[in-house]
Amino acid sequence: MGLGNGTAAEAENAKKIVIDDEVPKPKGWLGARHIITFMLFLGMANAYVMRTNMSVAIVAMVNHTAIVGEEQLLDDECFKDEQPRTISGIRLLTSNVSTAASTKAAEPGSDGEYVWDTDLQAYILSSFFYGYVITQIPFGIMAKKYGSLYFLGVGMLINSVFGLLVPIAAEFGWEYLIIVRFIQGLGEGPIVPCTHALLAKWIPPNERSRMGAFVYAGAQFGTVISMPLSGLLAASPIKWPSIFYVFGAVGAVWSVIFLIMCYEDPEKHPRIDAEEKKYILSSLWGTAGVSSPPIPWKSILCSLPFWAILIAHMGHNYGYETLMTELPTYMKQVLHFNIKDNGLWSSLPYLAMWIFSMAVSHVADWMLSTKRFTHTTVRKLINGIGQYGPGIALIAASYTGCDPALTVAILTIGVGLNGGIYSGFKVNHLDISPRFAGILMAFTNCLANLAGLLAPLTAGNVIKGNPTQAKWRIVFIAAALVYILCCTFYTIFASGERQPWDNPDEDESEENRRKSTDVEANNTQTECIEEMADDDNMNEDGADTKFGLRLRGRKGALKKKNVYNVKDHKFMPRFFKQPTFCSHCKEYIFPILKR
């Protein structure tokens, strides 16, 4: 047979093809996994915008003059001189201003049309939360069984569409508004568990810190954008309804684009680069969605690494709610400084958290890439910064005395350091169980949100009556102890290693079967080349004159040189009788033809 020297060498190399255990990282800087990550980031930002926009809008919706009789207690320890204070030219509240409502009512045109007392406002604001919490676990389980993509995309579409209906519901009455907000919460329920499940299917272990932190930092990005923008929209000619029209429309557009552009996993993506696809699947052991064994409930509940994540998550939510909701209240009641009246001061802590989470995530992935630190060490170290830091900040804030500027600085530093949790326990689910990461996140996020409810309840009971500095110090130190104790539990019992109940042995058997198939395909191709590559039987049009075959490539007739290419055709069927086009390498593969 007229097999040339180059062809013989290629055929010999084909027989020696070995599937590497570690596939090199693709050279391109922008791949399908980056697009998926960016879309999830925008989805998380949009979710938090939809969650928090009511907090800003309700100020413009309510007739504060009609409820001005409801006085709010203010402490006079820091303001006995009756002299107003300022921070960077921002005038603080004076002691003779008894309520924030009276200040708002003094501004012309600031009142809305609805007479809702503070209790009713609380019910309206919390209705979204109750819908959000009760769907966490059900969606986590269903996403594992049926996939995450459509639950996430359709859920956010429902959230956005009902956001457009908020102004109409408010016109019909507060009862209808509560129902609409509750349905919005139901629609947003899949956002965290489904996002986690998709990250498990798309992101290799050594990229999880920065990719996961980038996605979840969308929450802070959305808050930073929504707070000042909501204020501007409320002051527009359309007034407060424009908040829901604009963000609802943006959310609906994102949902449609997400459902069109994104895919459940790399194997279902028709346009993903072959090198990137192989890199992701090899890095993830093929676990993300290839097989769906029964959920090992008993093993999960008996797993200390899972409990470490759960305790850390609950402690974070309790401390975070104290930082972001109770500390500003303390500043208003004791320091007479209403931080919420200024968009810059309001968004500064969120901005600090977003920036720090991005920076520390790259540090975490760099530590993993050096091979000097294990996943367990990195998660514990970075999470320690994210939880011990805010704990210390809360203790410091309770001893700032009557200094609003120092309190704002501590609030910003504490919330900023809290960004470390995104490279700590927040992505640790993906380490210990890539197969059940979505379900684990559903459980921990549900219970953590319930724990977050305890923060305002605890503060309300402690400061009941006269809100003195001593009472507020109890609130802050209690939250700091929760942060520190929960982080200590995580530091002792957490793990970055994949747990046995995630069935890694099953993945190894699947990987071995895949490698066996790849080697057989390569051997088959080698024999095909030896059998078919006869210069005497192949004309210039790519037609084999002896066997009567005409092979067509991407750009017309197949050239002779294409016959001798040897590639990894692992996506081809194991057995085939006719020349078959391989979508992986964009050319035909030859079967063994007997003479």
Side-chain angles (χ1 to χ4, degrees):
M1 194 176 288
L3 192 63
N5 293 333
T7 306
E10 291 179 1
E12 183 65 24
N13 290 335
K15 295 179 181 179
K16 298 179 181 179
I17 288 179
V18 178
I19 307 298
D20 295 330
D21 289 332
E22 285 192 19
V23 179
K25 186 176 180 180
K27 297 180 180 179
W29 62 274
L30 180 64
R33 69 189 188 283
H34 299 108
I35 296 175
I36 296 292
T37 301
F38 182 67
M39 290 299 296
L40 290 175
F41 164 80
L42 294 179
M44 191 64 66
N46 182 63
Y48 271 75
V49 167
M50 302 300 290
R51 182 187 303 190
T52 60
N53 57 11
M54 177 59 79
S55 301
V56 179
I58 201 168
V59 177
M61 296 170 69
V62 172
N63 188 326
H64 300 278
T65 305
I67 58 173
V68 72
E70 299 183 4
E71 296 189 356
Q72 183 175 358
L73 292 173
L74 295 176
D75 181 54
D76 62 354
E77 292 177 276
C78 292
F79 221 52
K80 293 180 179 180
D81 56 1
E82 300 290 336
Q83 297 297 319
R85 299 169 181 262
T86 60
I87 296 180
S88 300
I90 301 174
R91 193 170 186 269
L92 309 186
L93 296 175
T94 58
S95 59
N96 62 344
V97 179
S98 60
T99 65
S102 62
T103 304
K104 196 75 178 176
E107 301 174 7
S110 63
D111 273 346
E113 59 267 38
Y114 303 110
V115 183
W116 296 334
D117 60 26
T118 53
D119 289 338
L120 181 55
Q121 292 179 47
Y123 285 125
I124 294 172
L125 291 173
S126 63
S127 58
F128 181 98
F129 170 81
Y130 290 110
Y132 173 74
V133 168
I134 65 175
T135 52
Q136 293 284 304
I137 296 176
F139 275 120
I141 296 174
M142 289 190 294
K144 176 57 186 171
K145 186 174 182 179
Y146 301 108
S148 306
L149 187 78
Y150 288 103
F151 283 120
L152 177 54
V154 175
M156 287 303 298
L157 183 61
I158 292 173
N159 184 5
S160 303
V161 170
F162 275 85
L164 296 170
L165 299 178
V166 166
I168 300 174
E171 285 293 325
F172 279 95
W174 60 266
E175 301 92 340
Y176 296 94
L177 178 58
I178 287 178
I179 293 173
V180 167
R181 289 292 293 175
F182 178 78
I183 295 174
Q184 279 191 274
L186 294 176
E188 191 166 310
I191 182 70
V192 173
C194 290
T195 294
H196 229 55
L198 288 173
L199 288 175
K201 298 175 182 179
W202 277 95
I203 308 303
N206 288 345
E207 298 180 2
R208 283 173 182 162
S209 295
R210 62 178 180 272
M211 295 288 202
F214 178 74
V215 169
Y216 285 107
Q220 279 64 51
F221 178 79
T223 305
V224 169
I225 294 298
S226 69
M227 292 185 73
L229 186 56
S230 295
L232 293 174
L233 292 172
S236 68
I238 305 178
K239 297 185 178 179
W240 64 265
S242 61
I243 296 175
F244 300 98
Y245 294 148
V246 170
F247 291 130
V250 170
V253 171
W254 174 88
S255 300
V256 173
I257 295 176
F258 176 79
L259 290 172
I260 294 175
M261 289 185 57
C262 298
Y263 294 87
E264 186 71 30
D265 55 59
E267 291 185 303
K268 295 180 181 178
H269 199 306
R271 297 180 300 275
I272 186 173
D273 180 74
E275 292 184 3
E276 183 184 16
K277 183 175 184 179
K278 186 175 180 180
Y279 168 66
I280 295 173
L281 294 179
S282 299
S283 301
L284 297 177
W285 313 288
T287 59
V290 175
S291 59
S292 295
I295 301 171
W297 297 111
K298 183 178 179 180
S299 298
I300 291 175
L301 294 177
C302 294
S303 173
L304 276 176
F306 166 72
W307 280 98
I309 296 173
L310 174 61
I311 297 299
H313 203 162
M314 295 176 69
H316 160 72
N317 274 41
Y318 183 94
Y320 185 77
E321 288 299 321
T322 300
L323 273 169
M324 296 314 302
T325 62
E326 300 308 320
L327 193 52
T329 303
Y330 163 79
M331 294 177 65
K332 181 172 67 174
Q333 290 185 342
V334 177
L335 303 181
H336 298 190
F337 172 67
N338 194 345
I339 193 173
K340 292 183 179 179
D341 281 347
N342 185 272
L344 173 62
W345 297 110
S346 299
S347 59
L348 190 60
Y350 296 101
L351 182 62
M353 186 175 182
W354 181 48
I355 294 174
F356 182 76
S357 65
M358 293 291 95
V360 78
S361 67
H362 283 78
V363 173
D365 277 345
W366 171 81
M367 293 172 66
L368 292 173
S369 66
T370 63
K371 306 295 184 182
R372 298 176 183 175
F373 304 91
T374 64
H375 279 77
T376 301
T377 302
V378 172
R379 297 293 177 240
K380 290 181 178 181
L381 181 61
I382 303 299
N383 192 77
I385 297 173
Q387 291 196 293
Y388 285 132
I392 296 172
L394 278 168
I395 296 175
S398 65
Y399 289 98
T400 54
C402 301
D403 192 336
L406 183 58
T407 307
V408 171
I410 291 175
L411 171 64
T412 302
I413 293 173
V415 177
L417 292 176
N418 204 197
I421 59 103
Y422 292 122
S423 298
F425 77 82
K426 202 82 170 184
V427 294
N428 200 190
H429 312 72
L430 303 172
D431 298 323
I432 68 171
S433 178
R435 176 175 276 117
F436 303 110
I439 294 174
L440 299 187
M441 174 56 88
F443 270 92
T444 61
N445 195 52
C446 176
L447 296 177
N449 275 281
L450 293 175
L453 279 177
L454 298 176
L457 293 176
T458 302
N461 285 312
V462 172
I463 65 174
K464 196 171 185 178
N466 188 23
T468 62
Q469 289 191 43
K471 289 183 177 180
W472 273 104
R473 189 172 294 120
I474 296 174
V475 174
F476 294 149
I477 292 179
L481 289 176
V482 171
Y483 256 134
I484 293 170
L485 291 176
C486 291
C487 186
T488 301
F489 186 91
Y490 180 85
T491 303
I492 296 173
F493 297 108
S495 173
E497 303 302 321
R498 193 175 177 199
Q499 298 302 296
W501 44 265
D502 197 56
N503 296 322
D505 293 337
E506 183 174 332
D507 293 332
E508 291 177 3
S509 62
E510 290 176 2
E511 184 71 7
N512 291 335
R513 285 196 298 270
R514 183 179 69 83
K515 290 181 179 180
S516 176
T517 302
D518 291 342
V519 173
E520 288 183 18
N522 284 309
N523 291 338
T524 299
Q525 186 187 9
T526 303
E527 296 177 26
C528 295
I529 293 175
E530 293 175 342
E531 184 75 20
M532 294 285 294
D534 191 334
D535 290 334
D536 297 333
N537 298 331
M538 186 71 70
N539 62 26
E540 294 182 357
D541 293 330
D544 187 304
T545 57
K546 186 170 184 177
F547 297 104
L549 298 175
R550 178 173 292 277
L551 309 176
R552 297 188 179 276
R554 285 174 293 178
K555 298 180 180 180
L558 193 67
K559 301 300 181 181
K560 273 199 295 186
K561 62 180 181 180
N562 295 113
V563 178
Y564 310 132
N565 285 345
V566 178
K567 295 189 177 181
D568 179 12
H569 300 286
K570 67 178 182 178
F571 299 103
M572 293 297 296
R574 292 184 64 178
F575 303 104
F576 50 95
K577 296 182 179 180
Q578 298 296 326
T580 307
F581 187 76
C582 177
S583 60
H584 174 66
C585 61
K586 308 302 181 186
E587 61 184 3
Y588 282 93
I589 311 302
F590 310 114
I592 299 176
L593 297 178
K594 296 182 179 179
R595 297 181 182 274

